[in-house]
Amino acid sequence: MKILKFGGKSLSNGEGLDKVVAIILDKVNQGEKIAVVVSARGNATDELEDLLSIAAKNESYKPLLEQFKLEQQNGFADVDLTEEFNVLEKLFEGVSLIGDYSSKIKDQILSIGEVLSAKLLTAILVKNGVNARFADSRELIKTDSKFGDAQPIEQASKKNVVQYFKENDDAVNIVTGFIASNAKNVTTTLGRNGSNYTASLIANYLNAEELQNYTHVDGIYTANPDLVPDAKKIDYLTFNEANELANFGATILHAKTIIPLLEKNIPLRILNTFNHENKGTLIRSTASKEGIKTLSVLENVALVNLEGRGLLGKTGVDARIFKVMGDNDISVSIISQGSSERGIGLVVAADKASTAMIQLEKEFENDFYSKDVNKISVTDNVSVISIIGQDLSTFHKPYTALIRNKIVPILFNNTVTGKNVSLVVKKSELNRALNVIHGEIFGVSKKINIAIFGHGLVGGTLINQILESATAIEKRKDVKLNIFAIANSKNVLLNKNGVTPNWKNEIQNKGTLYSIQDVIDYANENHLENLIAIDNTASADFVENYIPLIESSFDLISSNKVANTLSYSFYKKLRKVLADNQKTYLYETNVGAGLPLIDTIKLLHLSGENITKIKGVFSGTLSYLFNNFSAKDVPFSEILKEAIDNGYTEPDPREDLCGNDVGRKLLILARELDLQNEFEEIAIQNLIPEHLREGSASEFLTKLKEFDAVYAKIKEEQEPNHVLRYIGELSGDLQSDKGNLEVKLVSVPSDTALGGLKGSDSFFEIYTESYGDRPIVIQGAGAGSAVTARGVFGDILRLSDKG
Ligand code: ASP
Ligand code: MG
């Protein structure tokens, strides 16, 4: 025999009830032997409780009662429910007259919900040709007289159940869950959600082969799917694991449900009435290989903390605390006390916290005088996350992930049995904390949430590169890259689930005005974790957002060079804020675009290698100009014109020719070596003849020929087999505070590496003590949106490897 139990949502009007009938018909037609246990339909129990409190306040309850009756009867006018409705009317009238009710009366009223449910279902089944029979569990399950939370008496109940099922063996028995009666046949209930318990008791008494619990969810999940979208269904659980879950807030099961099943080793299957095909979760005694982990949550709790300097070594303090809790019927879910015994923290239901504090203050009044106790406080709005099945040997993983996301637990503890680690976090951080822990312990892809500022050439290319390779990266690295924001200087496009390839249109049509705080708020409100902000602008203004972003838990990446070339004091300040917030800032593309230059220098420096000199061609534009000018026999202006026409220069080519950009890049490298130079200290050779430095760009573009004489002369005056190169050079004592930074046009032998440079390549030589006079050389395309975007992408992957 199998016991089928249907919950309230399964039995509600419309789709639910139809499905329940279909499921039962199916089993009956297949010749399966079943018995059915039902809850009250829909929210009937809640509605009856509401009606009770309204009636007790002497308010008008009748309209609501009429509505309740209509709902219960809805669609089945021919089923006779008058007896139950009459009982309700009489009882409510009494409550309304007296203005109060006992828990005994309450049980009588609530019990009608289950009676209505079982009667109606029986009638429908009979109409469908099933030999169904209504069974009132008040005549079967006997309990003590603790109304509202009655304890079954096994012997009597078992005898009744066995007897009844023997006599009614010919029928499909439809049994009321939740309700029972005491020795005097007065109605009792087993506690809210008690129908599961009824079903498991009956399964136990009848030695059923399985209990099938039909709910409105597909089974038990690794976490509540409403809170954690990535939560996965668990196929198998052991009874012990299920019991831990029931104890830690998972509401699917009544806490006592497991025990009768465990006793007889009866498997329990959690199924979805509305998704018949699904296999659900099977709870049984055999364990799965790796053991199971789940997250469960206690939401409405508060932390009571008792602090006392004089408590060390005193005996009986904890006993007094728990006596206070016991006397006031306050259940304590988590206790934490350090070995210093200077304080003890207790987690209690939120609505009991102030009582707990007041009563503790009373109890410890004298200890306040003697200064043994100095403070009793309550932290409201906290939540407990329990990681069930969590070994302490791997607990550092979820813990580190939390810290990385700036969630610092207020308290944590573990149980020796059940492998259970509980963390108390601020309620406002609950959702994000759950998702972070879940992502970490289930090895589901780590989600990286990215905000991209600037979607011009580099930014736009980057967005498309990310969208194109996200799937492959998820497969290879278990990292899910999610662009949740794209912004330009005015508008932002926000989508917590990730922007689509159609982002360009969307930001144009749906983009909204924003401030940086809006993006930060959006990330917070949607509990986005592992945040990265990417600055692909060239804007000095945007740099002002760096510190607020870091303080809001964003790591930073920029192709924008400004932040690293402002004053040294800002440079230091930014690093301090980063360190304080345990955040990282990467900017590989600041120099040499995607070439792995900064990373290499960083590693060399970090490993203690003495870098003695860095020298190179830092600008792709100027590389092109002088490589070609040196190789060809044409005037300088012709090459310059070519570069302008091909878009190799800035709109005003003087920005390239003045050398400041090379200077900035050189400064960035110098600072990487802890040198404290300022931009003003760089000796920069400006390539623009003095009389062309002022005036508009368009005017300048008409005077390019005026370069020719100057550069023809320079070219001529070189030694034989020499070529011109515009380089940056960092030299001097690089172990001191400042180095020599020079940007200059030099003439070098054409048979050297530098002299052999072609096209628009960038070229860097890193001289170090160990490498002696044979420098490390890094050479390649050092400009262009595709390689720069790739470089930024590389920084994203470096960050996603962190922690
Ligand atoms: N109807 C009862 C309740 O809502 C019992 C149950 O549904 O299991 O608590
Ligand atoms: Mg680079």
Side-chain angles (χ1 to χ4, degrees):
M1 153 113 78
K2 284 186 184 154
I3 310 294
L4 277 56
K5 184 257 160 178
F6 293 95
K9 285 216 174 75
S10 298
L11 291 158
S12 49
N13 284 326
E15 200 195 354
L17 203 50
D18 294 343
K19 296 257 177 194
V20 170
V21 172
I23 290 169
I24 296 174
L25 277 174
D26 192 41
K27 305 246 176 205
V28 171
N29 290 338
Q30 287 187 23
E32 277 195 56
K33 191 113 190 72
I34 57 167
V36 176
V37 176
V38 295
S39 294
R41 301 178 53 218
N43 297 318
T45 313
D46 289 333
E47 288 159 16
L48 291 171
E49 274 190 340
D50 289 348
L51 272 162
L52 249 174
S53 64
I54 294 170
K57 278 185 258 168
N58 219 336
E59 288 167 13
S60 132
Y61 63 90
K62 283 189 178 152
L64 219 61
L65 181 58
E66 285 313 307
Q67 198 184 321
F68 175 85
K69 287 178 359 190
L70 276 176
E71 265 166 39
Q72 292 293 315
Q73 189 91 62
N74 179 50
F76 302 98
D78 51 338
V79 180
D80 184 12
L81 302 171
T82 40
E83 194 186 325
E84 286 67 38
F85 291 158
N86 287 342
V87 172
L88 282 181
E89 264 160 29
K90 262 216 304 259
L91 287 170
F92 281 128
E93 205 172 301
V95 171
S96 169
L97 277 173
I98 299 167
D100 199 4
Y101 59 87
S102 62
S103 48
K104 180 172 158 184
I105 293 293
K106 181 174 177 180
D107 273 0
Q108 282 176 31
I109 287 178
L110 295 193
S111 70
I112 301 297
E114 266 68 12
V115 176
L116 287 167
S117 175
K119 277 208 166 161
L120 188 85
L121 181 61
T122 307
I124 299 169
L125 288 168
V126 168
K127 258 199 280 183
N128 280 279
V130 178
N131 180 19
R133 195 164 298 154
F134 168 73
D136 190 335
S137 58
R138 288 174 295 189
E139 286 161 24
L140 305 178
I141 309 284
K142 302 306 285 186
T143 67
D144 64 12
S145 297
K146 189 163 185 222
F147 297 104
D149 188 21
Q151 183 59 40
I153 297 161
E154 185 177 338
Q155 261 188 345
S157 306
K158 183 171 176 176
K159 195 176 132 249
N160 291 342
V161 168
V162 169
Q163 173 83 17
Y164 179 88
F165 275 85
K166 211 170 167 187
E167 283 164 10
N168 293 277
D169 192 35
D170 58 318
V172 176
N173 293 294
I174 311 295
V175 187
T176 53
F178 177 56
I179 67 177
S181 66
N182 68 8
K184 291 184 187 147
N185 296 328
V186 179
T187 301
T188 57
T189 63
L190 305 182
R192 290 302 306 266
N193 298 314
S195 298
N196 291 315
Y197 191 27
T198 308
S200 87
L201 287 174
I202 291 178
N204 176 305
Y205 301 154
L206 297 177
N207 290 317
E209 98 202 46
E210 184 170 295
L211 169 55
Q212 302 189 340
N213 191 333
Y214 285 87
T215 64
H216 59 288
V217 293
D218 278 343
I220 295 180
Y221 278 75
T222 49
N224 182 344
D226 294 338
L227 300 177
V228 181
D230 288 333
K232 286 189 284 201
K233 191 179 69 99
I234 301 171
D235 293 333
Y236 300 103
L237 273 177
T238 63
F239 286 117
N240 278 334
E241 289 161 345
N243 210 11
E244 282 294 328
L245 270 180
N247 286 333
F248 278 92
T251 46
I252 288 185
L253 296 173
H254 183 286
K256 297 181 218 162
T257 305
I258 305 291
I259 298 153
L261 300 175
L262 186 65
E263 220 177 79
K264 292 275 178 83
N265 202 1
I266 300 168
L268 166 61
R269 204 183 279 279
I270 311 286
L271 291 160
N272 189 348
T273 302
F274 302 90
N275 185 5
H276 200 166
E277 297 300 294
N278 201 290
K279 283 223 161 61
T281 298
L282 184 63
I283 303 170
R284 53 180 189 185
S285 53
T286 38
S288 54
K289 271 194 288 314
E290 60 287 1
I292 206 75
K293 284 203 189 89
T294 42
L295 296 181
S296 77
V297 173
L298 293 175
E299 262 183 274
N300 296 314
V301 291
L303 176 67
V304 179
N305 202 43
L306 183 133
E307 251 174 64
R309 300 204 179 91
L311 295 181
L312 181 60
K314 269 204 168 179
T315 52
V317 176
D318 292 352
R320 284 165 65 197
I321 293 173
F322 286 103
K323 178 149 194 325
V324 170
M325 298 296 139
D327 289 351
N328 291 283
D329 205 18
I330 299 172
S331 158
V332 178
S333 60
I334 284 188
I335 308 153
S336 179
Q337 182 176 40
S339 60
S340 70
E341 299 184 48
R342 292 259 314 256
I344 180 165
L346 313 170
V347 172
V348 302
D351 57 356
K352 302 273 180 160
S354 55
T355 314
M357 185 167 91
I358 292 164
Q359 297 300 330
L360 282 173
E361 278 173 348
K362 246 195 224 159
E363 168 67 30
F364 286 91
E365 209 176 335
N366 288 329
D367 306 76
F368 271 107
Y369 281 121
S370 64
K371 300 218 161 42
D372 285 347
V373 171
N374 43 325
K375 199 168 151 198
I376 298 174
S377 58
V378 170
T379 314
D380 285 318
N381 299 323
V382 299
S383 300
V384 180
I385 299 174
S386 294
I387 315 176
I388 294 157
Q390 174 66 58
D391 218 301
L392 277 189
S393 64
T394 51
F395 176 60
H396 62 287
K397 287 188 185 169
Y399 193 78
T400 311
L402 284 178
I403 301 300
R404 195 175 55 229
N405 282 281
K406 287 197 85 174
I407 300 165
V408 182
I410 304 168
L411 184 155
F412 74 83
N413 80 355
N414 71 307
T415 60
V416 177
T417 50
K419 286 196 196 159
N420 183 336
V421 182
S422 295
L423 299 149
V424 179
V425 298
K426 284 188 209 133
K427 194 170 178 183
S428 58
E429 294 177 340
L430 169 66
N431 210 317
R432 202 152 49 94
L434 267 177
N435 281 282
V436 168
I437 298 175
H438 191 272
E440 196 63 43
I441 62 180
F442 291 102
V444 288
S445 320
K446 177 159 136 193
K447 203 169 188 183
I448 309 277
N449 287 295
I450 304 171
I452 297 183
F453 299 89
H455 55 77
L457 275 179
V458 172
T461 309
L462 174 68
I463 295 166
N464 293 333
Q465 283 177 356
I466 294 176
L467 292 177
E468 275 160 27
S469 35
T471 325
I473 289 177
E474 190 176 354
K475 257 199 215 127
R476 251 181 278 143
K477 280 180 67 84
D478 251 359
V479 166
K480 198 171 186 169
L481 301 177
N482 185 54
I483 306 176
F484 77 94
I486 298 178
N488 49 43
S489 57
K490 291 192 197 71
N491 292 329
V492 69
L493 173 69
L494 293 165
N495 184 346
K496 64 176 194 285
N497 298 319
V499 299
T500 68
N502 194 26
W503 61 269
K504 243 188 196 138
N505 277 327
E506 285 176 14
I507 195 166
Q508 240 170 34
N509 302 325
K510 286 196 252 157
T512 50
L513 289 175
Y514 80 105
S515 72
I516 200 70
Q517 196 55 42
D518 296 328
V519 177
I520 293 172
D521 290 347
Y522 184 83
N524 278 336
E525 281 154 20
N526 291 289
H527 314 288
L528 303 181
E529 74 268 32
N530 301 319
L531 296 164
I532 301 181
I534 302 181
D535 175 9
N536 285 322
T537 71
S539 146
D541 292 343
F542 188 80
V543 171
E544 287 167 20
N545 297 324
Y546 283 18
I547 289 176
L549 282 166
I550 296 164
E551 287 172 342
S552 308
S553 194
F554 281 79
D555 285 308
L556 276 186
I557 294 174
S558 78
S559 60
N560 183 358
K561 291 189 272 288
V562 172
N564 286 325
T565 55
L566 293 172
S567 68
Y568 186 71
S569 65
F570 176 77
Y571 188 88
K572 284 310 272 185
K573 181 179 169 197
L574 183 60
R575 265 102 195 132
K576 169 131 191 354
V577 178
L578 285 162
D580 289 349
N581 290 279
Q582 303 189 46
K583 292 287 132 194
T584 306
Y585 173 33
L586 296 180
Y587 39 86
E588 180 57 79
T589 55
N590 273 194
V591 185
L595 294 177
L597 178 67
I598 292 181
D599 204 35
T600 308
I601 289 175
K602 232 184 221 165
L603 279 176
L604 285 168
H605 186 55
L606 207 70
S607 67
E609 177 69 22
N610 246 343
I611 296 179
T612 51
K613 186 161 80 175
I614 298 175
K615 186 174 152 184
V617 173
F618 285 65
S619 155
T621 314
L622 298 175
S623 178
Y624 177 89
L625 277 182
F626 288 103
N627 296 346
N628 284 290
F629 179 58
S630 295
K632 294 179 190 168
D633 203 11
V634 290
F636 189 80
S637 62
E638 207 163 294
I639 310 276
L640 181 54
K641 183 99 190 4
E642 222 173 81
I644 296 168
D645 293 345
N646 287 327
Y648 296 164
T649 65
E650 295 294 325
D652 184 343
R654 286 176 297 184
E655 284 177 36
D656 298 300
L657 293 163
C658 74
N660 285 350
D661 182 58
V662 176
R664 273 187 218 107
K665 291 173 177 167
L666 190 61
L667 181 64
I668 291 169
L669 296 191
R671 287 178 171 176
E672 235 19 85
L673 303 183
D674 296 325
L675 296 167
Q676 304 180 9
N677 288 79
E678 300 286 356
F679 182 76
E680 294 71 29
E681 293 165 357
I682 313 172
I684 299 177
Q685 179 182 347
N686 191 327
L687 294 172
I688 312 161
E690 219 149 311
H691 69 285
L692 297 177
R693 291 183 193 169
E694 306 291 320
S696 72
S698 52
E699 202 183 324
F700 169 77
L701 290 172
T702 64
K703 296 181 180 166
L704 299 182
K705 283 207 160 23
E706 293 175 33
F707 274 85
D708 292 345
V710 182
Y711 285 91
K713 183 158 179 281
I714 295 175
K715 191 172 174 182
E716 220 132 275
E717 282 173 356
Q718 293 183 99
E719 288 178 34
N721 298 321
H722 272 56
V723 288
L724 293 171
R725 297 290 181 259
Y726 189 67
I727 64 161
E729 184 172 318
L730 169 64
S731 61
D733 177 6
L734 304 188
Q735 305 307 307
S736 64
D737 283 352
K738 300 213 175 186
N740 294 330
L741 280 70
E742 289 172 283
V743 175
K744 57 195 177 184
L745 188 64
V746 295
S747 170
V748 298
S750 49
D751 61 358
T752 55
L754 180 56
L757 205 58
K758 293 201 168 56
S760 59
D761 272 7
S762 291
F763 172 87
F764 304 93
E765 289 178 337
I766 308 167
Y767 291 82
T768 81
E769 222 164 79
S770 310
Y771 284 83
D773 54 7
R774 296 191 45 75
I776 299 170
V777 175
I778 296 173
Q779 176 179 355
S785 49
V787 292
T788 307
R790 270 299 160 215
V792 175
F793 206 152
D795 280 343
I796 298 176
L797 297 180
R798 283 187 188 100
L799 273 183
S800 67
D801 279 342
K802 204 177 64 149

